[in-house]
């Protein structure tokens, strides 16, 4: 099923049609793959700042960067997703440049702030960018294709990172960060040369009824929109679970090599690269709310055993690393296309950018608050961290199911892909 001739030709056609965008995605995400698993661990290795302080700095910097997601929604509605994609890459380059010089809390804060500002802007603009790229064709098809492309690039970057970090030398970390700076700038240049993502002219009639339906007030009054926002807030920690909680657990508590985070990341992204489009075809026609809830439950399954599991070593530890990578990959492949399709299609087109900004900012709040739980590692109840994580992901499944149930039927169901057409 995975490598049928029709699917292979379709993938090549997709690659040719948007080869420059694909190149930009590859360039940007290879650089991200080099550094993404090391967000917190980097500073624990290269500085003398305590882990608890780094966790607090990460949370505060992430919270301060939250309004960037909302601003990005306004920029996307006004100037198009392309402008936001360019800006987020430039912010990423600036943030990781500071990583190279950060040795005290103030510089660490500034570096994490810029990197997080880039992420907030990226997630606001990326969903809208893919929606523009699809141009009326099934959203999941294009999202799955580009996510598989991104996963391959992230995995390649993670493999390079694992090899570089195998000797545990700090210079290897800094070379990885520098490479991410270069790839971010290169991606910004490529995105700037593309037509896709410009602001589309408003063609709908500006009647009083249309203005009311497309207002932010109507968006905020809609129960499904509020539940999507809650669901995104609760699922947000899943985005930083591997590179924050798991990487600290494996390296700082289980005594594993710093390369373990990159190895796990490479496994997860490699699986997504190979199977994302197949999974998307398999779930076509199914309820998106069910798919998103299933992804949340699978994520909870990575944390739940740690409530009672003692520290592992050797083969047992590496086995757990692989199991977590597989579960997180499965969760992402099932959850991400469906969730992003809902976020792109549920709001009124006139407020799509701002609505996505609200959804992704809610997710960012969850991401920003999660590092505060790292202090539980040094408490008498370290298992409480994993209990909280499990409960949050199960609550996310409930919120998303309720949100999608209240949407129009055409938004509830995953679109049938046309990749063989």
């Amino acid at each position: 099923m995975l490598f049928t001739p029709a699917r292979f030709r379709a993938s090549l056609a997709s690659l040719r049609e948007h080869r420059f965008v694909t190149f930009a995605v590859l360039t940007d995400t290879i650089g991200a793959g080099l550094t993404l698993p090391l967000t917190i661990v980097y500073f624990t290795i290269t500085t003398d700042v305590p882990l608890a302080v780094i966790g607090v700095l990460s949370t505060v910097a992430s919270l301060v960067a939250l309004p960037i997601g909302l601003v990005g929604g306004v920029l996307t509605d006004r100037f198009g997703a392309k402008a936001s994609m360019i800006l987020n890459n430039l912010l990423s380059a600036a943030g990781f440049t500071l990583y190279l010089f950060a040795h005290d809390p103030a510089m660490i804060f500034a570096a994490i702030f810029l990197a997080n500002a880039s992420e907030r802007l990226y997630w606001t603009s990326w969903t809208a960018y893919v929606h523009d790229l699809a141009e009326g064709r099934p959203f999941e098809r294009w999202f799955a294709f580009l996510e598989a492309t991104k996963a391959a690039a992230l995995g390649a970057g993670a493999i390079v990172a694992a090899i570089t970090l195998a000797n545990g030398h700090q210079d290897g970390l800094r070379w990885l960060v520098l490479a991410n700076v270069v790839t971010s700038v290169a991606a910004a240049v490529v995105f700037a040369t593309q037509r896709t993502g410009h602001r589309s002219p408003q063609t709908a009639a500006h009647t009083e009824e249309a203005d009311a339906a497309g207002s932010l007030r109507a968006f905020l009054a809609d129960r499904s929109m509020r539940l999507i926002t809650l669901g995104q807030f609760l699922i947000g920690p899943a985005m930083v679970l591997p590179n924050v909680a798991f990487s600290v657990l494996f390296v700082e508590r289980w005594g594993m090599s710093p390369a373990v985070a990159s190895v796990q990341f490479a496994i997860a992204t490699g699986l997504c690269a190979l199977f994302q489009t197949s999974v998307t075809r398999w779930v076509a026609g199914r309820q998106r709310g069910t798919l998103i809830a299933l992804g949340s439950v699978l994520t909870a399954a990575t944390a739940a055993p740690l409530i009672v599991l003692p520290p592992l070593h050797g083969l047992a530890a590496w086995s757990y690393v692989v199991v977590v990578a597989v579960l997180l990959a499965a969760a992402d492949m099932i959850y991400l296309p469906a969730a992003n399709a809902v976020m792109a299609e549920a709001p009124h087109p006139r407020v799509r950018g701002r609505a996505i900004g609200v959804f992704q900012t809610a997710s960012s709040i969850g991401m920003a608050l999660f590092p505060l739980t790292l202090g539980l590692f040094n408490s008498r109840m370290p298992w409480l961290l994993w209990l909280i994580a499990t409960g949050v992901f199960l609550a996310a499944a409930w919120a998303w199911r309720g949100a999608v149930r209240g949407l129009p039927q055409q938004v509830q169901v995953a679109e049938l892909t046309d990749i063989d057409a």
Side-chain angles (χ1 to χ4, degrees):
M1 177 179 177
L2 180 59
F3 295 114
T4 63
R7 295 193 60 226
F8 181 71
R9 290 194 300 270
S11 296
L12 288 180
S14 300
L15 184 61
R16 285 194 298 269
E17 182 178 355
H18 295 291
R19 57 190 180 278
F20 290 110
V21 172
T22 305
F23 175 74
V25 169
L26 280 167
T27 302
D28 184 25
T29 49
I30 284 175
L34 296 173
T35 55
L36 193 57
L38 306 169
T39 304
I40 298 296
V41 172
Y42 175 88
F43 292 116
T44 67
I45 294 175
T46 62
T47 73
D48 296 325
V49 179
L51 174 62
V53 174
I54 294 172
V56 171
L57 289 172
S58 177
T59 293
V60 175
S62 299
L63 290 172
V64 174
L66 287 176
I68 303 298
L70 298 175
V71 172
V74 176
L75 291 175
T76 298
D77 281 337
R78 181 179 288 266
F79 301 108
K82 171 182 173 178
S84 296
M85 290 297 293
I86 295 168
L87 182 57
N88 89 68
N89 276 282
L90 295 178
L91 282 175
S92 176
F96 282 100
T97 297
L98 284 185
Y99 266 56
L100 298 170
F101 305 100
H103 298 289
D104 58 76
M107 288 292 285
I108 291 174
F109 173 84
I112 295 177
F113 166 75
L114 287 175
N116 275 276
S118 166
E119 283 291 306
R120 302 296 75 76
L121 191 55
Y122 169 82
W123 285 111
T124 297
S125 55
W126 176 242
T127 301
Y129 192 86
V130 177
H131 185 271
D132 292 343
L133 197 66
E135 295 177 333
R137 292 166 291 189
F139 178 94
E140 274 98 341
R141 171 202 170 174
W142 292 95
F143 190 87
F145 170 73
L146 289 172
E147 283 299 306
T149 302
K150 286 169 58 182
L154 284 169
I159 290 171
V160 173
I163 295 171
T164 303
L165 296 175
N167 61 8
H169 203 278
Q170 291 188 16
D171 288 344
L173 285 169
R174 294 189 171 90
W175 278 112
L176 294 176
V177 169
L178 180 61
N180 193 21
V181 173
V182 174
T183 56
S184 295
V185 173
V189 172
V190 176
F191 276 118
T193 65
Q194 303 309 300
R195 287 181 157 184
T196 303
H198 282 296
R199 179 179 180 272
S200 301
Q202 295 288 350
T203 56
H206 285 269
T207 64
E208 191 172 312
E209 183 178 350
D211 287 344
S215 67
L216 286 177
R217 180 178 298 178
F219 166 78
L220 295 172
D222 191 303
R223 180 177 181 271
S224 288
M225 300 301 111
R226 296 198 302 270
L227 280 175
I228 292 174
T229 304
L230 175 61
Q232 280 293 95
F233 167 73
L234 293 171
I235 200 65
M239 300 294 292
V240 294
L241 184 67
N243 61 302
V244 172
F246 283 138
S247 61
V248 171
L249 173 73
F250 297 148
V251 176
E252 298 292 326
R253 294 295 175 265
W254 290 7
M256 301 179 75
S257 164
V260 65
S262 295
V263 170
Q264 184 187 69
F265 193 68
I267 294 171
T269 53
L271 291 172
C272 289
L274 289 174
F275 297 108
Q276 177 68 82
T277 54
S278 291
V279 171
T280 300
R281 285 170 55 82
W282 175 64
V283 302
R286 289 173 170 81
Q287 289 286 322
R288 284 170 172 158
T290 301
L291 299 175
I292 299 168
L294 177 57
S296 300
V297 171
L298 288 173
T299 305
T302 66
L306 294 169
I307 299 172
V308 296
L309 200 65
L312 301 179
H313 305 282
L315 181 60
W318 279 102
S319 297
Y320 195 82
V321 168
V322 173
V323 170
V324 166
V326 172
L327 287 174
L328 290 176
D332 281 354
M333 288 187 284
I334 293 169
Y335 153 79
L336 278 177
N340 279 272
V342 170
M343 288 189 287
E345 297 172 7
H348 193 282
R350 292 182 59 192
V351 295
R352 179 176 291 120
R354 282 164 285 180
I356 293 172
V358 171
F359 298 148
Q360 299 292 15
T361 298
S363 176
S364 300
I365 293 173
M367 292 168 61
L369 293 176
F370 188 66
L372 286 176
T373 63
L374 292 179
L376 292 171
F377 272 127
N378 299 320
S379 73
R380 295 181 179 179
M381 300 181 294
W383 52 267
L384 189 57
L385 185 156
W386 308 111
L387 180 64
I388 292 171
T390 301
V392 164
F393 296 138
L394 292 178
W398 168 83
W400 266 106
R401 282 270 292 178
V404 177
R405 195 179 296 121
L407 295 173
Q409 183 64 24
Q410 66 269 22
V411 181
Q412 288 189 31
V413 179
E415 293 173 307
L416 295 172
T417 60
D418 61 350
I419 201 164
D420 288 333

